[in-house]
């Protein structure tokens, strides 16, 4: 039996009922929300995963996801009636981790829930990734957010302020994909400009050259093709 608590957000009563049955039968504890506003009121630290409908009245799932990501990092799986690539990309860009297209089978739903929970638990608990206050250790890379220092295998790596800011953004949001616009606006603290993609790409390239063993096969800063970058 599982002990994880899952929040289900969907404005369709029948969908909520079906999802609750599937999840309870799989051993999960379930909390239901009929809209985005209710979901934001119910969310709490001990919720381990969110199933979030995209098309809802009042506040759609993408907007809800963005607001959740301001404070929480638990996996979010989008439930969508759309299968177009652009809709899937929009969900992942908003901060989602996965998506499942309606109608869905219980076996696929539970498999995706279990896979995302395993990944989240690994990131949170694995001894290879430890965080003590402002000191973060990922394999042989040590990042101190207070002293703004980075060490690789015990040797200090010299980063520019911008390079460190990009690394800090990604490492504090491990597992989340940031697109070019999000990285630019967070690091440069202004709206994205026409050449933002080139600007960000150049800094990512220089950052990889300093922290990666092989820039062609990066271990830390992963490229999610067509979307952006993340650190697991």
């Amino acid at each position: 039996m599982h002990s994880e608590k899952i929040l289900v957000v969907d404005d369709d009563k029948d969908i909520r009922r079906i999802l609750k049955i599937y999840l309870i039968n799989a051993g999960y504890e379930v909390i239901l929300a009929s809209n985005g506003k209710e979901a934001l009121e119910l969310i709490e630290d001990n919720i381990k995963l969110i199933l979030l409908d995209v098309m809802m009245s009042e506040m759609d799932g993408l907007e809800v996801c963005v607001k959740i990501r301001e404070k929480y990092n638990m996996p979010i799986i989008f439930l969508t009636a759309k299968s177009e690539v652009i809709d899937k990309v929009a969900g992942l860009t908003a901060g989602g981790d996965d998506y499942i297209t309606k109608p869905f089978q219980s076996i696929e739903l539970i498999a995706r829930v279990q896979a995302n929970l395993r990944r989240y638990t690994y990131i949170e608990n694995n001894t290879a990734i430890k965080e003590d206050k402002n000191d973060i250790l990922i394999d042989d890379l040590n990042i101190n957010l207070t002293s703004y220092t980075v060490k690789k295998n015990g040797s200090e790596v010299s980063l520019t302020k911008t390079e460190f800011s990009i690394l800090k953004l990604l490492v504090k949001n491990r597992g989340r994909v940031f697109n070019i616009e999000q990285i630019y606006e967070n690091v440069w603290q202004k709206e994205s400009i026409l050449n933002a993609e080139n600007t960000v790409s150049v800094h990512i390239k220089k950052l990889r050259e300093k922290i990666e063993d092989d820039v062609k096969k990066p271990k830390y800063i992963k490229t999610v093709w067509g979307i952006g970058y993340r650190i697991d």
Side-chain angles (χ1 to χ4, degrees):
M1 296 295 288
H2 306 280
S3 60
E4 291 92 344
K5 184 181 293 186
I6 295 176
L7 174 62
V8 173
V9 189
D10 199 300
D11 58 3
D12 188 313
K13 182 178 180 181
D14 291 332
I15 294 293
R16 293 198 304 273
R17 179 180 59 82
I18 292 171
L19 288 170
K20 183 176 181 179
I21 292 172
Y22 287 165
L23 293 166
I24 288 178
N25 286 342
Y28 296 102
E29 184 178 347
V30 181
I31 297 176
L32 300 178
S34 60
N35 56 62
K37 182 178 179 181
E38 186 179 355
L40 294 174
E41 292 173 350
L42 290 172
I43 193 168
E44 52 190 33
D45 289 321
N46 62 350
I47 289 175
K48 298 303 181 183
L49 181 140
I50 299 174
L51 290 171
L52 179 60
D53 186 30
V54 174
M55 301 299 292
M56 295 186 293
S57 57
E58 295 186 35
M59 184 184 298
D60 66 33
L62 299 178
E63 186 179 353
V64 175
C65 183
V66 170
K67 289 185 176 298
I68 290 173
R69 284 292 179 245
E70 292 175 357
K71 186 176 180 181
Y72 300 97
N73 287 316
M74 72 280 286
I76 296 176
I77 302 177
F78 278 111
L79 304 172
T80 175
K82 299 181 179 181
S83 58
E84 288 83 356
V85 172
I86 188 65
D87 296 304
K88 297 173 181 177
V89 170
L92 295 172
T93 300
D97 298 276
D98 202 354
Y99 56 84
I100 184 168
T101 305
K102 301 176 183 177
F104 47 79
Q105 298 294 321
S106 62
I107 188 170
E108 180 186 5
L109 174 77
I110 298 304
R112 288 184 182 273
V113 167
Q114 292 173 340
N116 278 276
L117 283 172
R118 280 197 303 270
R119 182 168 175 270
Y120 179 71
T121 301
Y122 177 85
I123 291 174
E124 289 292 299
N125 301 327
N126 192 271
T127 54
I129 302 178
K130 299 178 181 178
E131 183 171 344
D132 180 13
K133 294 183 179 179
N134 289 314
D135 198 52
I136 300 173
L137 178 64
I138 305 179
D139 291 339
D140 57 2
L141 195 67
N142 183 282
I143 305 111
N144 189 287
L145 303 181
T146 301
S147 62
Y148 288 83
T149 57
V150 177
K151 292 183 179 180
K152 183 175 175 62
N153 290 321
S155 299
E156 188 162 343
V157 179
S158 179
L159 300 183
T160 65
K161 179 181 178 180
T162 301
E163 290 165 356
F164 187 89
S165 295
I166 293 173
L167 181 62
K168 179 180 178 180
L169 174 67
L170 296 176
V171 82
K172 288 189 69 176
N173 297 275
R174 293 195 296 268
R176 175 181 172 183
V177 180
F178 282 85
N179 63 26
I180 294 295
E181 289 76 15
Q182 290 170 325
I183 293 175
Y184 188 89
E185 291 174 2
N186 274 278
V187 172
W188 277 265
Q189 293 293 303
K190 57 184 178 181
E191 290 187 7
S192 180
I193 56 177
L194 290 177
N195 64 340
E197 181 172 0
N198 183 61
T199 300
V200 172
S201 298
V202 168
H203 283 84
I204 291 285
K205 180 177 182 293
K206 292 181 178 179
L207 180 56
R208 279 175 167 165
E209 290 173 348
K210 294 179 179 181
I211 67 172
E212 301 284 1
D213 294 324
D214 185 349
V215 294
K216 295 182 179 179
K217 297 179 180 179
K219 180 170 65 172
Y220 302 110
I221 303 176
K222 303 293 182 63
T223 299
V224 182
W225 295 108
I227 303 177
Y229 303 93
R230 75 164 189 262
I231 289 180
D232 290 329

